[in-house]
Amino acid sequence: MYLIRLDDACPYYDVEKWQHVEGILDMYKIKPIVAVIPKCQDKMFVNQYQYNDLFWDKARHWQDKGWTIALHGYNHVYTNMNAKGLNPINNFSEFVGLSYEEQCEKIYNGVKIMNDHGLHPKCFVAPAHSFDTNTLIALKNVSCIRVISDTVANDIYYKHEMLFIPQQCGSFIRMPLKIITCCYHPNAMQAKDIHALENVLAKYKDKFTNFDSLKFKKRNFGFFDYMLKNIYFARRKMKRINIHY
């Protein structure tokens, strides 16, 4: 089964693209995970889009119709440009390398901002896919979040006293895995990307599920998961070598 995740929702966003994507998802009755940045200070968004006063109303509307709200870090500003976290997709991070106390403050304040706006995040999405053990401990101690949307695996698994929903691709790819999360960034999507998403849902809508329909079991990270993870990161390494050749 497939899940859709939409990243980088915040008051600095491309309203037209998000509305287009939302319309397509509603048409096919798809309820995604939406990763919301509580206090966006990322210049990539702040300098490109005007602050939208209606964003929090929109986010509450998503929640009210069954979309799953996720905490997407705190401010989406990368503090470590040489990060080596538990999910080494990128070498930059908002969280990796910060002290436990600093990470607690970010997560506590992020959740508070969302709660103050009537939002109740059910899972955590780390900016740049990057987090460490302090992130997980902080989530357990200062929030009610016990689910992470990220890492490469065949199915939902339990580790570090957290449940992980794997996230393996940036757009729809057919794979023989039990749970596949396709992560889209509406702000960056072009017309052809949105059209491709619509075509995918028209053809495979019955293959998609949502957060609330998942069966969360405390399954260990197994041998097949290790194989997938190793293959995934080996391919990424080869691509980087080819790019810099």
Side-chain angles (χ1 to χ4, degrees):
M1 296 298 288
Y2 294 85
L3 285 166
I4 285 183
R5 196 179 90 195
L6 306 178
D7 276 16
D8 301 334
C10 69
Y12 301 96
Y13 73 124
D14 191 315
V15 177
E16 185 176 341
K17 288 181 181 179
W18 276 86
Q19 287 180 338
H20 197 168
V21 170
E22 180 178 0
I24 293 169
L25 296 178
D26 286 348
M27 183 189 308
Y28 294 101
K29 299 180 180 179
I30 305 297
K31 297 178 181 179
I33 296 171
V34 187
V36 177
I37 307 168
K39 188 177 177 65
C40 184
Q41 296 174 326
D42 187 333
K43 292 181 180 179
M44 182 172 67
F45 303 122
V46 173
N47 292 343
Q48 186 171 358
Y49 307 110
Q50 284 190 333
Y51 186 93
N52 190 307
D53 292 319
L54 299 178
F55 169 76
W56 296 107
D57 292 332
K58 170 62 75 173
R60 284 191 295 274
H61 173 66
W62 292 335
Q63 181 176 259
D64 290 343
K65 65 180 180 180
W67 290 21
T68 297
I69 303 299
L71 177 69
H72 194 28
Y74 175 60
N75 57 17
H76 211 274
V77 174
Y78 303 124
T79 59
N80 186 346
M81 303 307 290
N82 189 28
K84 292 183 180 179
L86 297 176
N87 187 43
I89 300 289
N90 298 299
N91 60 359
F92 46 90
S93 178
E94 180 183 340
F95 288 89
V96 174
L98 294 183
S99 68
Y100 164 72
E101 291 78 13
E102 290 173 305
Q103 298 205 40
C104 281
E105 184 177 5
K106 278 178 171 282
I107 291 165
Y108 177 84
N109 288 334
V111 171
K112 185 178 186 306
I113 288 170
M114 294 179 76
N115 289 168
D116 287 346
H117 286 289
L119 299 178
H120 307 286
K122 295 182 178 180
C123 63
F124 178 76
V125 173
H129 310 272
S130 188
F131 55 92
D132 59 19
T133 53
N134 277 336
T135 318
L136 303 181
I137 297 170
L139 282 166
K140 286 184 292 185
N141 290 341
V142 301
S143 82
C144 295
I145 296 172
R146 297 295 181 269
V147 180
I148 309 294
S149 169
D150 226 323
T151 72
V152 178
N154 175 49
D155 198 0
I156 296 168
Y157 66 94
Y158 184 75
K159 195 172 184 179
H160 304 293
E161 299 181 61
M162 286 281 181
L163 288 157
F164 289 80
I165 306 172
Q167 189 271 299
Q168 307 95 329
C169 50
S171 58
F172 179 83
I173 301 174
R174 292 192 67 186
M175 292 186 283
L177 306 179
K178 289 189 176 180
I179 292 291
I180 301 164
T181 303
C182 311
C183 176
Y184 291 88
H185 295 75
N187 290 325
M189 292 175 74
Q190 302 302 314
K192 62 181 179 61
D193 304 317
I194 297 174
H195 182 64
L197 172 61
E198 184 171 7
N199 287 341
V200 162
L201 296 181
K203 188 173 183 179
Y204 298 109
K205 61 181 181 298
D206 293 337
K207 299 290 185 182
F208 283 82
T209 187
N210 59 75
F211 183 95
D212 290 333
S213 297
L214 295 174
K215 295 180 180 179
F216 290 103
K217 297 181 180 179
K218 292 185 177 180
R219 184 187 75 90
N220 291 331
F221 193 82
F223 178 72
F224 187 37
D225 301 302
Y226 279 109
M227 287 181 59
L228 284 172
K229 179 180 176 181
N230 289 337
I231 291 169
Y232 177 86
F233 284 106
R235 290 186 65 184
R236 284 183 65 88
K237 185 176 181 181
M238 288 302 299
K239 285 182 181 179
R240 285 197 296 269
I241 291 172
N242 291 335
I243 289 172
H244 292 99
Y245 181 73

